[in-house]
Amino acid sequence: MHNMQTVVDLSRWQFAATALYHFLFVPLTLGLTFLLAAMETVYVTTGRKIYKEMAIFWGKLFAINFALGVATGLTMEFEFGTNWAQYSRFVGDVFGAPLAIEGLMAFFLESTFVGLMLFGWDRMSRGKHLLVTYMVALGSNLSALWILIANGFMQSPHGATFDPITMRMELSSFTDLIFNHDAQAKFVHTSIAGYVTAAVFVAGISGWYMLRNRHMELAKRSFRMAVLFGVFASVGVISLGDALGFIDGHAQPAKLVAMESLWHTRTPPVGFNVIAFPSQKQQRNLYALKIPDLLTPLVTHSMNTVIPGADEVEQNAMVRMRDGIPAVLALKTLSAEPSNQAALAQFDAHKKDMGYALLLERFAPDLAAATPTDYERAARSVIPDVAVIFWSFRIMVLAGFAMLFFLGLGAFCSLNNKVHERRWLLKLAPWFIPVPYIACEAGWLVAEMGRQPWTVYGVFPTWMSASTQSVAYMVFSLAGFVLIYSIFIAVEMYLMVKFIRKGPDDGATAMLAH
Amino acid sequence: MIVLRVLLYAVISLVTVFLVILLGERGAWYFAWVLGTVMIVLISAAGGALLDAQEEAGSSDD
């Protein structure tokens, strides 16, 4: 049991590491494609060559990022099979379809058009090339859509039911799966976060060029287009962040507890913890700086809705564990006698709480003999790591508002056509490039660590989801991934810096154009 | 040429109406993404074109 828990922890570390590495590449791909499309749209409508140069130069940086993004993303799909075999068996019927469509979108739509976009400048008419660029943008974002539909199911399972005979989740409504509110809000939030990343990236490099008085025509136009692109996208990201908080607040109360470090249920309106030092063990905040009455309207969009604290979430979990035990016991009967009608009826009556009984099973392998201590330990495990999620959430929000401020300021200076004279802004711009990446990584930590201890929220616990690999295999493969992905990051940084330093006037630009 | 443009805009309108009907209440955020992305791309493109106009106006003033 102890060994198995180590394998589960190592599997989590491995998936987290590969996902976080992969997500260093994805946001720029999502956003830069649409920014390239905007630049090319101006080229096609006005015929000005500078916009073609812009599209080619930024397209080259996109190509470096895209190649490494695909390379790092591939392994994650295999990890579902190698490290999360139980999870894949349990939800494969639901998860497989969006994952397969994502593969088609990424490899057939996006990758096919990427080649045409990069090397087709003089082989197609301007209009056709523009269409290709839009297809690349659409393909990259639609591939993200399908991944996030699958992820939305893990966060808030809709559109599937558990079959007690086959012992796995089966798709009951494809439309419920794709129109899941969590998936929708998460997709738009993630996609537009990519737009902000691309905007800050292009503005940062353009600012660096202007500071050195290099490629001024390209840099001024790129900066203008990027900051306008980014300032509207930032407003969208913040709006969708609010929507996602509202949706998750209902779907995953334990995640909300962790995001806000809310240990006790209080009479509304509840104060907002700006800063808190939570103690998971003592289930309280060692210190908290609060703004009175702010959290309730922020999270519930009302002044009198009760927000459940950790104490209430744990109590509810205990009730659901007790209610779910007959469902799990019925499953054990059904695995030996699938046609046992009494067991089927017992399962049907308690199936909504089956996941909570499975969660309890980690602490009490013999569910019928579970002690109050087992229940308490299982209930406490329902609350994810509060300190990590609380601070990751605040880092993400702070970074989001900082980028809105920077892009707004950039847009104001650029619209006055004075940006090249504002040297302090140009100096600041490159320093902002890491900020959207930090925000994106922090956002993923909130979303995925906040879902714990579940792989499918409220249905299937993480402790049951991993494969039966050995600890040595997990340590070896984790070390291998970290090493290889670190090399990928180093290669990306080297190539990016090399091509940025060279600027748009090198041979590669000409090669792509002819 | 004008007829072609009118036809193009008519097709875009039809696609938009179709998307609204298809997504309706269930896919409001997806529809918001489509509209928002189109708006962001067009505003960004307009910003580039506006800079050209500003530069031309500046050089003609000189």
Side-chain angles (χ1 to χ4, degrees), chain A residues 49-241:
Chain A
K49 281 269 166 55
I50 183 72
Y51 292 98
K52 182 180 176 183
E53 279 176 37
M54 282 161 61
I56 291 171
F57 172 66
W58 296 111
K60 194 168 48 183
L61 300 186
F62 159 79
I64 297 166
N65 189 69
F66 174 78
L68 289 161
V70 171
T72 52
L74 272 174
T75 48
M76 290 168 62
E77 305 217 4
F78 293 113
E79 272 178 57
F80 287 120
T82 55
N83 298 356
W84 298 100
Q86 296 301 331
Y87 164 81
S88 297
R89 192 198 59 78
F90 189 77
V91 294
D93 288 17
V94 186
F95 209 72
L99 219 62
I101 302 171
E102 189 272 339
L104 289 176
M105 288 287 175
F107 295 106
F108 294 146
L109 181 63
E110 193 184 357
S111 302
T112 305
F113 283 107
V114 160
L116 291 172
M117 183 182 86
L118 293 174
F119 301 104
W121 280 102
D122 285 344
R123 292 175 177 85
M124 281 180 280
S125 68
R126 288 194 297 189
K128 279 181 188 162
H129 193 276
L130 179 62
L131 184 66
V132 162
T133 306
Y134 273 105
M135 291 308 285
V136 172
L138 203 60
S140 60
N141 280 271
L142 288 184
S143 78
L145 166 72
W146 290 101
I147 279 293
L148 292 168
I149 284 174
N151 186 266
F153 176 78
M154 295 167 76
Q155 306 284 350
S156 171
H158 286 96
T161 48
F162 180 78
D163 186 325
I165 307 300
T166 59
M167 300 277 175
R168 62 187 186 204
M169 299 292 286
E170 290 178 0
L171 196 62
S172 56
S173 167
F174 193 59
T175 50
D176 283 353
L177 182 72
I178 59 176
F179 290 120
N180 182 349
H181 288 295
D182 202 289
Q184 287 195 50
K186 193 175 281 289
F187 163 66
V188 185
H189 186 59
T190 309
S191 165
I192 302 183
Y195 299 0
V196 178
T197 306
V200 173
F201 178 81
V202 171
I205 295 165
S206 303
W208 188 79
Y209 282 146
M210 281 190 272
L211 200 62
R212 281 154 185 76
N213 212 19
R214 287 178 61 191
H215 320 296
M216 286 301 284
E217 293 303 302
L218 178 140
K220 273 169 78 174
R221 280 162 182 78
S222 298
F223 189 91
R224 162 75 65 89
M225 292 186 71
V227 290
L228 285 175
F229 189 85
V231 79
F232 283 91
S234 291
V235 174
V237 167
I238 292 166
S239 309
L240 262 297

Side-chain angles (χ1 to χ4, degrees), chain A residues 419-470:
Chain A
V419 69
H420 51 288
E421 295 169 17
R422 305 279 184 264
R423 294 188 68 80
W424 57 269
L425 183 66
L426 302 180
K427 280 181 188 165
L428 183 67
W431 290 103
F432 254 87
I433 293 176
V435 177
Y437 292 97
I438 293 168
C440 289
E441 299 286 294
W444 266 114
L445 283 178
V446 173
E448 301 310 308
M449 281 189 73
R451 196 191 61 237
Q452 295 305 320
W454 308 98
T455 43
V456 181
Y457 195 86
V459 176
F460 199 54
T462 307
W463 78 271
M464 294 183 82
S465 304
S467 307
T468 49
Q469 302 284 14
S470 68

Side-chain angles (χ1 to χ4, degrees), chain A residues 34 42 48 51 134 141 145 175-176 178 184 187-188 191 195 220-221 224-225 228-229 232 240 243 415 417, chain B residues 22-23 25-30 33 37 39-41 43-52 54-56:
Chain A
F34 273 117
V42 187
R48 289 173 189 268
Y51 292 98
Y134 273 105
N141 280 271
L145 166 72
T175 50
D176 283 353
I178 59 176
Q184 287 195 50
F187 163 66
V188 185
S191 165
Y195 299 0
K220 273 169 78 174
R221 280 162 182 78
R224 162 75 65 89
M225 292 186 71
L228 285 175
F229 189 85
F232 283 91
L240 262 297
L415 286 169
N417 207 8
Chain B
L22 186 75
L23 298 177
E25 283 186 6
R26 298 195 70 185
W29 285 119
Y30 291 148
W33 176 78
T37 300
M39 187 195 79
I40 290 169
V41 168
I43 287 173
S44 172
L50 179 66
L51 181 62
D52 290 331
Q54 283 172 314
E55 302 256 288
E56 277 166 23

